[in-house]
Amino acid sequence: MVPVSDHQPSAAGGEPARGRTDWLEWHRDYLDPASSLSRRRRAVQAEIGRWLDSRPNETLRVLSVCAGDGRDVLDVLDARGDTDRVEVVLLETDPSLVQKARQLARRSRLVKVDVRPLDAGSTDAYRDAVPADLVMMCGVFGNISDEDVRATIGVLPQLCAKGAGVLWTRARTTSGDPTSMIRGWFGAGGFEEVAFDAPRDVEYRLGTHRFVGQPVPLEPGRTFFRFRR
């Protein structure tokens, strides 16, 4: 059994990439069930539930990048009766959100949860966490440059097991919708699209892909994205 971790950051993790925004305050928008963020969370959680249902009786590893308080996956597991087969690694640098994630895991008695306060933009943060069967990139692509989005998709074969699922989100903006470009990068990178949720009345987009390429060994010491705020 893997206990809820108090894994501490190392120098290799680098400066916390999310330190310039009050992320705890930003997450308060989830308290409004009608908000775009709340709707996005429900859509993500529905995809996680479908993915778990599609992999019954398997021991699985879930990796959530820039995980916030972890509710995307922790709430889903709390509502299910098969949590003993799911190992979860959450990467988040904001101390308040790290503490909330640990509290949520303990409250729900989810003992196979490792909360790592490490910089998710460095491959060193993923040591012993990959390959994963589900990689969650929710809330990441909208906060990094397009160049870093492409680099991140290029690194995903190092994070994914064969046949792994990948969930990612990106909001459309007043200047356009970058998700067509992102979907193209996934297709060129060894992933097939399973689903794409693009509601007309809100800005979020949710992509679900499956890794059909060959896994690649993790390259240590590589920085592949940095948060812009």
Side-chain angles (χ1 to χ4, degrees), residues 164-224:
V166 177
L167 301 181
W168 59 274
T169 61
R170 179 66 166 96
R172 59 182 172 86
T173 67
T174 54
S175 60
D177 188 340
T179 54
S180 294
M181 177 177 62
I182 294 171
R183 294 161 78 187
W185 289 338
F186 268 102
F191 295 84
E192 65 177 13
E193 188 168 278
V194 176
F196 185 67
D197 182 22
R200 293 185 176 182
D201 60 331
V202 290
E203 295 180 346
Y204 83 78
R205 304 287 182 260
L206 168 61
T208 305
H209 279 77
R210 180 182 295 111
F211 181 49
V212 294
Q214 292 299 320
V216 177
L218 187 67
E219 174 188 353
R222 178 179 175 185
T223 296
F224 55 97

Side-chain angles (χ1 to χ4, degrees), residues 51-128:
W51 176 79
L52 287 168
D53 289 342
S54 74
R55 304 279 298 264
N57 306 315
E58 293 184 61
T59 300
L60 300 167
R61 176 182 282 170
V62 176
L63 170 64
S64 183
V65 178
C66 301
D69 61 10
R71 282 187 182 273
D72 281 359
V73 62
L74 297 181
D75 283 355
V76 175
L77 295 180
D78 185 39
R80 298 177 64 96
D82 56 355
T83 59
D84 59 334
R85 69 186 182 95
V86 183
E87 176 183 333
V88 179
V89 176
L90 306 176
L91 299 180
E92 173 57 55
T93 59
D94 185 273
S96 297
L97 293 172
V98 166
Q99 185 63 24
K100 285 191 68 176
R102 288 172 175 162
Q103 291 172 348
L104 286 168
R106 292 189 178 105
R107 187 181 307 156
S108 300
R109 299 183 180 180
L110 300 173
V111 296
K112 294 185 177 182
V113 176
D114 183 2
V115 185
R116 300 185 178 187
L118 299 176
D119 179 4
S122 169
T123 54
D124 289 337
Y126 299 85
R127 190 180 298 119
D128 302 324

